[in-house]
Amino acid sequence: MKETLFTVGPVEMFPETLTRGGAQLPYFRTEEFSRIVQECDRDLQALAGAPAGARTAVLTCSGTGAMEATVVNFLAGTDKALILRGGSFGERFCEICADDAIAFDAVEIAPGRALDVGQLEAQNLAGCRALFVNACETSTGALYDLEALGDFCRRHDLYFMVDGISAFLCDPINMEKMGIDALIFSSQKALALPPGLSMIVLSPRLVSRLEGSHPRTHYLGLRRHLADMQRGQTPFTPAVGIILQLHDRLQTLKSIGADASVRRVAALAAHFRNGLGGLPLRIFPERPSNALTALTPLDGSSAYAIYQTLKQKYGLVVTPNGGALRDRVFRVGHMGNIQEHDLDRVLAALQEVMK
Ligand SMILES: *Cc1c(COP(=O)(O)O)cnc(C)c1O
């Protein structure tokens, strides 16, 4: 049975991406390839609403590598991180800091709950350099209020580090308007490319913080990456094929722009959520992202069992949860090459499975 992915990465890819993926790769230390990388950089910065003087690092790693890069390149010694922990991706920033010996305070947000920014004002910010947040905490589908968080960072002089991996191109994100210092995103989410490429767009003040800094990591050392990016190159062999697929995708994305991309995903999310009426399902997060809808069964059935039935009986691959939410939550992604009629198939299958 042909499966359709409603996952949160990888997602359904576009035909041009698949075609490109079957083609011979070029050698990459060439002027032609440099030009492609520079065009990607320019277009990605435009989509991110990057401020003048921003710089992009293109890393060949999954999103977690880019998350780690924002910790190890910018925090050292007695610097402390403030981390919003509302699910497994917030937890990941905590684990990264623990492994890299960076002190951190975690702000606990119950899974799926919205953030009360007032809660942050009570934090002891002594020694605190940066706030880390997952714009969309993909494990629960919750979207945090980036505007309010950016304002908080401005008032307390913190670097604002945003893991926008699942929110980029799905929810409104604008580095300049929101005061974001580092914006992370990856190839396998709304860009709908294979996994393996992650980008970090850095604000000018983070770029200057790198100057003269001593990287504690070789592969993820951003100073080296930015130096090479000046001529459209990377220090090590990049995921050449994904960069070419990214370049193709950006031709479409730059012509429609970030706002239209967000509107498209928002319309899919709204279509799906409107179709839930009558089903014994509750939308799990208080403030849902457009990227996905996380759902809790209200009729006592197991979320994991629903995931299994949809996959085995219908070829519809939604995203199961792990850990404590395994039986309580499953997630339906709205990213990538899917349309309303694809989501209608999920709704129809749920009607059958949950009747
Ligand atoms: C997908 C995702 C990541 C990346 O995880 P990897 O498995 O390392 O690619 C990180 N943060 C969020 C919010 C995500 O949705």
Side-chain angles (χ1 to χ4, degrees), residues 8 62-65 67 89 92 134 136-138 163 165-166 186 188-189:
V8 294
S62 85
T64 306
M67 292 167 73
F89 289 102
R92 189 165 301 177
N134 316 92
C136 162
E137 171 47 83
T138 318
D163 163 2
I165 295 177
S166 54
S186 290
Q188 80 276 27
K189 308 269 161 129

Side-chain angles (χ1 to χ4, degrees), residues 37-38 40-42 44-46 48-59 70 74 175 180-185 198-211 222-235:
V37 171
Q38 283 166 332
C40 288
D41 180 12
R42 190 194 55 211
L44 288 170
Q45 285 203 30
R55 300 287 311 279
T56 311
V58 176
L59 305 172
T70 60
F74 298 109
M175 287 183 72
I180 297 171
D181 286 294
L183 179 66
I184 305 168
F185 44 88
S198 293
M199 276 66 61
I200 313 177
V201 185
L202 300 169
S203 70
R205 64 176 189 154
L206 273 190
V207 173
S208 22
R209 190 171 167 88
L210 281 179
E211 281 155 22
L222 293 180
R223 194 147 54 98
R224 183 179 286 110
H225 280 272
L226 293 193
D228 281 17
M229 270 299 276
Q230 250 155 359
R231 52 187 178 95
Q233 287 286 326
T234 51

Side-chain angles (χ1 to χ4, degrees), residues 47 250-264:
L47 290 167
L250 286 169
Q251 305 317 303
T252 310
L253 286 168
K254 79 174 173 197
S255 69
I256 65 170
D259 292 349
S261 165
V262 169
R263 277 198 300 275
R264 177 181 178 275

Side-chain angles (χ1 to χ4, degrees), residues 142-155:
L143 177 71
Y144 295 119
D145 184 343
L146 295 182
E147 232 141 324
L149 289 169
D151 182 56
F152 174 82
C153 289
R154 213 170 354 246
R155 278 185 286 112

Side-chain angles (χ1 to χ4, degrees), residues 2 97 126-127 212 261 312:
K2 187 192 172 297
C97 286
S261 165
Q312 286 158 12

